[in-house]
Amino acid sequence: MGIDALISLWQDTAEDLVVPEPKPATQREFDVAIIGAGFSGLWTAYYLKKMDPAIRLAIFESQQVGFGASGRNGGWVSGLLPMSLGELEKMFSRSAAIEMYRQSFATIDEIEHVVRAEQIDCGFHRGGTLNGATNAVQAKRVRDEIEEARRFGLGEEHHRLISSDEMRARLNVPNLVLASYTPHCAVVHPLRLVRGLAKAVLNLGVEIFENSHVDKIRPRQIRTANHGCRAEIIVRATEGYTAQIADHRRLLAPLYSYMVATAPLSAEQIARLNWKNRETYHDARNMIIYSQLTADNRIAFGGRGAPYHFASRVKPDFDTNARIHDKIIRSMNSVFPVSTEVAVTHRWGGPLGVPRNWQPSVNYDKRSGLASLGGYVGDGVAAANLAARTLAHLIREDDHDLTRLAWVNHPSRNWEIEPLRFVGINGLIKLSESIDKHERRTGKPDRIRETVLKTFLG
Ligand SMILES: Cc1cc2nc3c(=O)[nH]c(=O)nc-3n(C[C@H](O)[C@H](O)[C@H](O)COP(=O)(O)OP(=O)(O)OC[C@H]3O[C@@H](n4cnc5c(N)ncnc54)[C@H](O)[C@@H]3O)c2cc1C
């Protein structure tokens, strides 16, 4: 094994794509001020500026463009939303659920279109997603998902079970009892996409102010460490970091996701995996794992399950976690035995934003001029584009399909106060892990614990 770097693979392989000199903030008045230069903030700027080139628009970023989850994620541009069709139906209606998914699937085309139009070199490739099951309980979960798709009128072309022959022809994962495939997913190098997008918005005339941490948000006014700024509309696009802002401490809980990447596999190792079309791969365990084959033939593999930090703290120290990284490596080795033959070269992680109701939302209050988007629960790469387009149309007061989507102005209630939040979230994480263990050991569902989990996630 080689010595692995505690920075992301993406940071290590995007040095040629530099964002041209964002300025220090001098100007004090804008039509729209956006807080956060991740996918949510940048896509919002992109669409607003495309719709109205004269709009005066600035982005304030604590650190650098792509510093947050947008520059560190697993690179899945997935049309599958963090909330299922059934959950959406329960909360809104059948037609609202179908429309959310229809728009989410179309978002992959939209991102591909912009990547091509703006010539963003981010390795965009649409290979779809494979979901595997390694025991009977997981197999039931995979089947249920497909049945649910059918109940909502989504046919084989959207999501289907695949035979073991087809699975092996796409990707060789040992011990699978069942698998499904959806074409609605692409892979990208996320930091290259976020930097390419920043370049595109700068070219459109958006101002980006890096190293400008916003510590207070008020209607038509934000305050950074050095000065204030006025704007008719203020967009908060701060996801996993939201709890750091005054008066926003209980909106989104920061949960950490961690990743590792291997050295490039040889042609012979790729051939053994049979991974020709770079499908993303996950399985149906409760504690999510996710993987992609990068454009330079590395396995990038991630997992959730890290502990939540008391009082929603977010610190650079938390970006790596030896215990969780080792666990992720063990998972990777069992899913892809070939990974034991190559060095792990990178380990990293970061916070993502989770609302109390586990549903992302897009919010705009015309009277106060305050807007926000996010809470993607770890599925924000594509969703941030859809949310940003939705928000841009809301701000422009367009009568548009997107402004009628169910997630518009559907904010969650606040998280519990501490120590309840700490006990509750970490309890749920432990519960998910123990259910997976039980399923692995017995091949049977753990109904009691599953009911508890569902009750608290609801
Ligand atoms: C390890 C990991 C893997 C993931 N994998 C996937 C995946 O494969 N597919 C997927 O769909 N999703 C994935 N996600 C989630 C996805 O990356 C996020 O949902 C998405 O990037 C959120 O984008 P964002 O712009 O809303 O937030 P971020 O990218 O987090 O951006 C927020 C920005 O706001 C800045 N900021 C915060 N507070 C302030 C402030 N007060 N003042 C100024 N600036 C501020 C931050 O510095 C940051 O740059 C993953 C997340 C992680 C951490």
Side-chain angles (χ1 to χ4, degrees):
M1 296 280 259
I3 297 170
D4 36 329
L6 297 177
I7 63 164
S8 81
L9 168 67
W10 315 126
Q11 243 176 306
D12 222 6
T13 51
E15 279 156 356
D16 57 310
L17 221 175
V18 180
V19 181
E21 293 182 35
K23 312 175 183 97
T26 47
Q27 202 178 319
R28 298 285 170 87
E29 254 190 80
F30 298 93
D31 298 315
V32 180
I34 296 173
I35 308 164
F39 286 133
S40 295
L42 290 165
W43 281 122
T44 303
Y46 182 80
Y47 290 109
L48 279 173
K49 199 72 183 166
K50 281 278 183 186
M51 290 170 186
D52 177 6
I55 199 168
R56 293 172 309 155
L57 209 158
I59 303 179
F60 292 81
E61 164 57 50
S62 281
Q63 313 283 328
Q64 289 80 42
V65 163
F67 169 82
S70 299
R72 312 178 188 198
N73 58 68
W76 285 44
V77 185
S78 172
L80 298 181
L81 292 161
M83 55 284 198
S84 69
L85 283 155
E87 285 162 348
L88 283 168
E89 180 185 34
K90 237 186 258 163
M91 198 165 261
F92 306 104
S93 68
R94 178 184 161 84
S95 57
I98 294 171
E99 183 59 8
M100 274 300 301
Y101 265 77
R102 196 179 70 80
Q103 292 291 355
S104 182
F105 291 163
T107 296
I108 320 291
D109 295 331
E110 169 62 20
I111 293 174
E112 181 169 19
H113 165 77
V114 178
V115 163
R116 307 254 177 267
E118 302 293 344
Q119 298 180 348
I120 300 175
D121 176 14
C122 62
F124 183 102
H125 173 81
R126 190 191 304 228
T129 293
L130 295 161
N131 186 14
T134 54
N135 59 45
V137 191
Q138 290 187 14
K140 178 167 181 332
R141 233 170 254 141
V142 173
R143 268 196 209 94
D144 287 350
E145 213 182 358
I146 301 297
E147 271 169 28
E148 180 172 88
R150 295 296 172 274
R151 269 199 300 115
F152 284 85
L154 298 181
E156 294 259 307
E157 69 284 15
H158 291 292
H159 208 171
R160 64 188 164 87
L161 293 176
I162 56 174
S163 66
S164 45
D165 282 350
E166 179 174 351
M167 180 66 204
R168 269 194 301 274
R170 288 180 179 275
L171 177 61
N172 222 339
V173 175
N175 305 322
L176 288 189
V177 295
L178 193 73
S180 71
Y181 175 77
T182 169
H184 298 299
C185 190
V187 280
V188 287
H189 182 308
L191 187 58
R192 297 185 74 89
L193 176 55
V194 84
R195 286 187 179 167
L197 203 52
K199 266 186 159 173
V201 301
L202 284 167
N203 286 338
L204 290 171
V206 172
E207 308 221 35
I208 300 180
F209 303 120
E210 293 186 317
N211 305 312
S212 300
H213 179 79
V214 173
D215 48 31
K216 203 155 200 175
I217 304 174
R218 289 278 173 269
R220 319 212 188 278
Q221 207 169 9
I222 55 175
R223 198 186 68 198
T224 67
N226 303 325
H227 43 71
C229 153
R230 289 191 58 77
E232 274 308 298
I233 293 167
I234 291 166
V235 176
R236 179 177 51 72
T238 49
E239 260 280 289
Y241 303 85
T242 303
Q244 317 301 305
I245 306 170
D247 306 328
H248 291 69
R249 311 235 179 263
R250 289 166 55 202
L251 282 184
L252 294 173
L255 293 197
Y256 275 77
S257 197
Y258 290 96
M259 294 199 69
V260 300
T262 67
L265 304 187
S266 68
E268 183 273 327
Q269 286 165 329
I270 298 282
R272 262 192 278 150
L273 273 175
N274 223 2
W275 211 346
K276 297 181 287 284
N277 195 27
R278 296 181 57 208
E279 294 90 342
T280 53
Y281 178 79
H282 63 145
D283 63 26
R285 70 184 82 182
N286 285 293
M287 197 46 85
I288 292 169
I289 55 128
Y290 49 94
S291 51
Q292 72 146 293
L293 181 66
T294 64
D296 61 348
N297 288 339
R298 299 164 186 267
I299 298 176
F301 194 102
R304 306 252 186 95
Y308 157 82
H309 298 280
F310 191 81
S312 297
R313 273 180 308 150
V314 169
K315 291 208 300 199
D317 285 1
F318 301 157
D319 288 348
T320 55
N321 180 321
R323 184 177 68 83
I324 303 290
H325 276 126
D326 287 348
K327 218 160 140 183
I328 289 173
I329 292 170
R330 284 197 298 279
S331 290
M332 174 173 74
N333 291 164
S334 76
V335 174
F336 302 118
V338 72
S339 64
T340 57
E341 299 168 20
V342 283
V344 169
T345 53
H346 299 79
R347 305 172 181 227
W348 71 98
L352 46 93
V354 180
R356 179 63 182 84
N357 65 359
W358 300 75
Q359 309 266 340
S361 63
V362 180
N363 307 294
Y364 176 51
D365 174 30
K366 189 181 165 197
R367 215 160 37 91
S368 64
L370 294 177
S372 64
L373 65 172
Y376 310 110
V377 196
D379 276 322
V381 175
N385 174 284
L386 180 57
R389 277 184 291 135
T390 305
L391 183 56
H393 285 297
L394 280 171
I395 288 174
R396 289 178 50 80
E397 298 180 43
D398 294 338
D399 180 20
H400 195 277
D401 283 353
L402 294 185
T403 61
R404 289 184 282 275
L405 285 178
W407 66 356
V408 169
N409 289 329
H410 187 73
S412 170
R413 70 181 162 95
N414 276 346
W415 278 98
E416 285 74 4
I417 51 166
E418 296 292 18
L420 288 181
R421 195 180 337 153
F422 180 82
V423 172
I425 296 176
N426 285 324
L428 291 181
I429 291 169
K430 284 259 174 306
L431 200 61
S432 294
E433 270 174 355
S434 68
I435 295 173
D436 283 334
K437 259 191 211 147
H438 174 94
E439 289 173 0
R440 254 198 321 271
R441 215 179 45 242
T442 66
K444 294 196 175 117
D446 186 340
R447 297 218 189 279
I448 296 174
R449 276 185 269 207
E450 262 182 18
T451 309
V452 177
L453 190 66
K454 277 191 190 132
T455 309
F456 280 95
L457 290 182

